[in-house]
Amino acid sequence: MMPRPAADETAARALRPRIRPGKITKIEDSKVGQLLTLLDHSGVPQQMEELLAGRPGPAGVRPRTVLAGLLLAAYFTGRATIAEAWRILHFRLEPRARTWLDIPAEAPTTARQCVAASRRLYRGFDRITTVLDPARCDRRSRLPQDIADAYTDAWNVPSGRQAAERLQQLANQLVRSPVRLAHKRGHLRGWRGDVGVDATSIPVLAHPASDRTPTAPVEITAGWHYSGGSGEGTFGYSATFVVAAHRRRPGESAGKPTAYPQMCVGLILDTPTVRTGRNAVLALEELSVLGVPAGTCAADRAYTGCSPENFQIPVRRLGYRLALDYKVNDRGQQGSWQGALLVDGSLACPHMPAALVQVTHGLGDKAVREIRDNQQLTEHITAREPHYLKTKQGPDARGAIRLQCPAAGPSPSVNCARRDRPRTPRTPGPPSAVVDFSDSRKRAAHPAARPTVQLPQDEWLSPPPADELPRVCSKSDITVPADAAGDLKTAKFRQDSHYLSDDWIAAYKPIRSHNEGIHGRLKGDEIDIGNPKHRPAPGQVAQTLLVALMVTAGNLDILETWLYQRTGSQLTDSVFDNTDPQPPTWPETEPPAQAGRPPPPTTGR
């Protein structure tokens, strides 16, 4: 067989990628070593090697080299493209760093060598996406709709879901590698475990399906993502972010510097409106395995609308306190539990005044956002407080809590004849002591200062027996399990802070602002995950890996910026050194093969 003739040099020069001689600047070995150490500590390159072991065909470029090139591209250029990775690996690395990644010592000199080197990198990335894809298909052209539907269905069968969860786990390992580094160095000591959960759109270059042709879009698992308050959708994927956040004390002013870097601690990329709640739970479950304390979890109305078995119930069982918002039609009285009214997510006295129960019914979103400017609404929300049931015992291992009547206990907040009636009359004693009205605590504790529950008129004349009263009125306490068996609305709408109260505002609004802040940070000028041209590779597997690498670079940038603003120092090689005498609390995914920095060169294929 005759060898193929050499490709024409003019034709090769017309092919991509192209070098940019005026912008070739060398990258220091120390920074390459830091990013490579971070990648190795995630355990992803090692797992990819195991998945690709034994597959037919030439090994080509190793997964470690491909992922390192993409991570370097995301960090230095804000783009996760093979073209940028190729430019960095072959033209911007020093000789020592080339040996760490098995890159030839000499850069390509001819157009044909450039094309060949880039194609090898493309094939290396293609091998990674192929082994992780549960239904590999042609991503370069539109498929007939029926064939595309068959490939899409393969993601939803048990084997497909198992492959998707493995992909999501690898993405989270990448995203959390800077988080592990921050925790190892003690930078997360100020984080109390509060998290914000939200989804943002990840648009793609592919166009949606057209009514004029019977073909599916190139991105067969993509869909329409609709942001809250927007009627215009974005075609692509939804990325569920879990963000390290914190609540403020009621009345505490904003603007104080945080005691920890507000990083993304979880990422799930999936089809929009599919498994919305379940994806958030998966990210929180992986976070809980690391030993992170469970604080308050704030989520917007997209998660409040989920089926409780897909979001609210498992989140409560993980130990998180929920801070939720409601749609206009869901505000006000939402149901009941053992006689207690469910009012805006909190259980209250069955005879809370109707005016207070319905004060938020039909309340618009603008009024909720501007509640501090509405004095009358604020006064009504404050007047609700005494009527809410009091917590007698916090959540147990299954997320169940015990609540008691507001008129019960040593410190009642209301006066109620139902609580006084069953008790044995006290023996007359000495007259009550004179109340010191200059003492605010004594004034507040006096029965005259508490509101009185207004019972039905006929109940005053003929009191019903105790066994005919609601359980919340006749028993010392009631138990509310996490799933609130038999009452879907209680399981769905119940939360741990009284809606629109100072405590709720201090928890929900700061955490939600942290979500929006990290969206803006990751969709900014330096790293923009919202620009599909910065991650053009098609397919859900490719998009998941590229977004995860960009978020990893964003997390590292957040950590570096926070450290520099706080201490004036930067991350050095010693920070990445795995020989630190103080082991991390969170277990490492994969123990490194050799201690020290920079990482040793790898040989063999």
Side-chain angles (χ1 to χ4, degrees):
M1 182 177 178
M2 295 294 295
R4 296 181 61 183
D8 182 74
E9 188 72 9
T10 304
R13 289 185 184 279
L15 299 176
R16 291 189 176 186
R18 304 183 181 95
I19 59 172
R20 305 165 70 181
K23 295 188 176 182
I24 296 179
T25 57
K26 295 297 182 179
I27 299 176
E28 296 180 357
D29 288 345
S30 59
K31 181 55 68 175
V32 177
Q34 291 173 7
L35 293 176
L36 193 54
T37 302
L38 202 67
L39 182 64
D40 289 337
H41 283 185
S42 71
V44 175
Q46 298 91 324
Q47 295 179 45
M48 292 307 309
E49 292 280 2
E50 295 174 0
L51 290 174
L52 291 172
R55 292 183 64 87
V61 180
R62 300 183 64 183
R64 183 173 183 258
T65 304
V66 177
L67 295 175
L70 290 169
L71 183 58
L72 287 166
Y75 183 84
F76 285 101
T77 70
R79 297 167 177 258
T81 65
I82 298 295
E84 291 292 348
W86 170 79
R87 293 188 186 101
I88 289 177
L89 291 176
H90 289 277
F91 295 95
R92 297 184 60 181
L93 296 187
E94 298 287 355
R96 188 183 180 197
R98 291 171 177 270
T99 62
W100 300 338
L101 294 169
D102 290 341
I103 300 297
E106 299 295 333
T109 56
T110 66
R112 186 183 180 189
Q113 291 175 351
C114 292
V115 172
S118 67
R119 285 180 174 175
R120 284 194 293 270
L121 203 60
Y122 275 104
R123 286 195 295 268
F125 185 69
D126 185 71
R127 294 182 75 241
I128 296 175
T129 57
T130 299
V131 75
L132 294 175
D133 200 329
R136 182 68 175 176
C137 64
D138 187 2
R139 306 294 190 193
R140 297 168 296 179
S141 60
R142 291 174 177 263
L143 298 175
Q145 189 64 57
D146 55 342
I147 297 178
D149 291 341
Y151 281 108
T152 303
D153 294 339
W155 283 80
N156 299 317
V157 299
S159 59
R161 292 313 310 157
Q162 183 179 4
E165 291 180 2
R166 179 179 59 191
L167 172 65
Q168 293 165 354
Q169 183 180 6
L170 292 174
N172 273 286
Q173 289 176 217
L174 289 170
V175 169
R176 281 200 294 266
S177 54
V179 180
R180 289 177 179 271
L181 175 65
H183 178 76
K184 177 180 179 180
R185 293 295 167 176
H187 301 319
L188 295 180
R189 284 194 297 263
W191 181 34
R192 299 189 294 268
D194 298 332
V195 295
V197 177
D198 195 13
T200 187
S201 62
I202 303 295
V204 294
L205 289 175
H207 296 287
S210 174
D211 297 334
R212 295 173 296 180
T213 58
T215 56
V218 174
E219 296 280 356
I220 60 174
T221 56
W224 289 99
H225 177 100
Y226 291 92
S227 301
S230 174
E232 184 177 355
T234 302
F235 184 73
Y237 298 96
S238 290
T240 301
F241 282 102
V242 178
V243 181
H246 68 274
R247 53 176 297 160
R248 293 195 298 264
R249 295 184 178 87
E252 184 180 6
S253 60
K256 295 183 178 180
T258 58
Y260 62 94
Q262 294 176 328
M263 309 167 74
C264 173
V265 295
L267 169 68
I268 302 290
L269 190 136
D270 204 349
T271 306
T273 70
V274 176
R275 296 177 289 272
T276 301
R278 183 57 189 159
N279 287 336
V281 173
L282 283 175
L284 292 174
E285 286 176 347
E286 293 185 9
L287 189 61
S288 64
V289 173
L290 301 179
V292 178
T296 298
C297 176
D300 63 6
R301 289 171 293 178
Y303 295 90
T304 307
C306 295
S307 299
E309 62 270 11
N310 291 332
F311 180 69
Q312 291 88 337
I313 296 173
V315 171
R316 290 192 186 102
R317 287 177 175 169
L318 288 173
Y320 287 94
R321 294 167 52 88
L322 284 175
L324 307 172
D325 194 9
Y326 305 110
K327 297 180 180 179
V328 175
N329 296 332
D330 292 333
R331 294 177 179 135
Q333 183 176 350
Q334 300 160 328
S336 63
W337 177 261
Q338 296 185 359
L341 300 180
L342 183 65
V343 181
D344 285 331
S346 298
L347 293 171
C349 171
H351 294 287
M352 175 189 280
L356 298 180
V357 173
Q358 300 299 333
V359 69
T360 56
H361 180 69
L363 190 67
D365 296 336
K366 182 178 180 181
V368 171
R369 291 192 298 268
E370 301 175 355
I371 183 174
R372 294 193 181 276
D373 299 330
N374 192 332
Q375 183 177 358
Q376 184 179 7
L377 178 60
T378 303
E379 291 175 354
H380 282 92
I381 296 299
T382 304
R384 280 179 169 184
E385 294 286 336
H387 298 273
Y388 288 125
L389 302 191
K390 298 181 296 182
T391 302
K392 188 174 183 179
Q393 185 177 6
D396 57 14
R398 297 288 294 172
I401 62 173
R402 293 171 61 194
L403 304 175
Q404 65 179 4
C405 169
S411 301
S413 56
V414 297
N415 302 317
C416 182
R418 285 182 176 177
R419 279 291 163 182
D420 297 336
R421 194 175 296 142
R423 297 176 180 173
T424 304
R426 295 180 179 177
T427 304
S432 301
V434 177
V435 178
D436 183 5
F437 288 98
S438 63
D439 191 332
S440 59
R441 296 186 62 181
K442 291 184 177 180
R443 291 201 313 268
H446 196 275
R450 299 194 294 261
T452 300
V453 175
Q454 299 299 320
L455 301 177
Q457 187 65 29
D458 56 350
E459 188 170 333
W460 291 100
L461 302 176
S462 55
D467 56 355
E468 294 182 6
L469 293 175
R471 185 177 180 85
V472 68
C473 299
S474 60
K475 301 297 182 179
S476 60
D477 60 72
I478 60 173
T479 300
V480 187
D483 57 357
D487 193 335
L488 180 64
K489 290 187 175 181
T490 301
K492 183 175 184 177
F493 294 122
R494 183 171 65 86
Q495 59 177 312
D496 297 279
S497 297
H498 303 321
Y499 187 58
L500 299 183
S501 66
D502 290 341
D503 185 65
W504 181 87
I505 293 174
Y508 184 81
K509 291 194 173 183
I511 295 178
R512 288 289 302 149
S513 68
H514 298 160
N515 274 112
E516 298 300 329
I518 202 163
H519 290 172
R521 185 76 176 261
L522 297 177
K523 291 186 176 181
D525 295 332
E526 296 183 4
I527 296 179
D528 186 3
I529 64 173
N531 190 342
K533 293 182 179 180
H534 292 179
R535 36 168 184 79
Q540 183 172 339
V541 175
Q543 289 293 301
T544 299
L545 291 177
L546 297 181
V547 171
L549 288 167
M550 296 178 75
V551 174
T552 303
N555 265 347
L556 185 59
D557 180 66
I558 291 172
L559 176 60
E560 290 177 329
T561 303
W562 177 86
L563 186 63
Y564 182 78
Q565 292 176 347
R566 188 177 179 87
T567 64
S569 60
Q570 299 181 6
L571 292 176
T572 60
D573 291 353
S574 62
V575 174
F576 293 83
D577 191 353
N578 51 36
T579 60
D580 190 90
Q582 299 178 354
T585 304
W586 301 350
E588 294 289 348
T589 304
E590 181 81 13
Q594 180 175 336
R597 263 273 309 116
T602 55
T603 58
R605 293 188 180 274

